[in-house]
């Protein structure tokens, strides 16, 4: 689960522990995150407004960053 989505700077991610990549709409990796706890806060303030995907071993989730 990811919330809030859309986000303006941070979101909370509640997924299985592991490594996830954030990719933009053309497939470029823009960030790699590690989920170590039940819920992690992810800062995406440095990313441009747009649609991104969080990809893990068994999951692909779309997030929207709005400024």
């Amino acid at each position: 689960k990811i919330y809030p989505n859309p986000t303006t700077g941070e979101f909370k991610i509640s997924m299985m522990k592991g490594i996830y990549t954030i990719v933009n709409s053309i497939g470029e990796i823009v960030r790699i995150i590690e989920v170590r706890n039940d819920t992690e806060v992810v800062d995406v303030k440095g990313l441009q407004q747009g649609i991104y995907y969080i990809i893990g071993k068994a999951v692909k989730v779309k997030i929207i960053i709005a400024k």
Side-chain angles (χ1 to χ4, degrees), residues 9-35:
E10 292 185 335
F11 62 87
K12 291 183 180 179
I13 183 171
S14 298
M15 293 189 188
M16 291 186 337
K17 295 177 184 177
I19 304 292
Y20 295 86
T21 55
I22 300 177
V23 299
N24 62 18
S25 60
I26 61 171
E28 297 173 321
I29 296 173
V30 295
R31 180 102 24 106
I32 296 173
I33 56 174
E34 182 177 3
V35 174

Side-chain angles (χ1 to χ4, degrees), residues 1-4 6-15 18-23 30-47 52-54 63-65:
K1 180 176 179 181
I2 295 174
Y3 56 94
T7 183
T8 57
E10 292 185 335
F11 62 87
K12 291 183 180 179
I13 183 171
S14 298
M15 293 189 188
I19 304 292
Y20 295 86
T21 55
I22 300 177
V23 299
V30 295
R31 180 102 24 106
I32 296 173
I33 56 174
E34 182 177 3
V35 174
R36 290 180 243 131
N37 302 305
D38 291 337
T39 302
E40 292 280 340
V41 175
V42 179
D43 181 351
V44 290
K45 292 177 189 137
L47 298 180
Y52 295 84
Y53 297 90
I54 298 177
I63 61 169
I64 300 170
I65 298 176

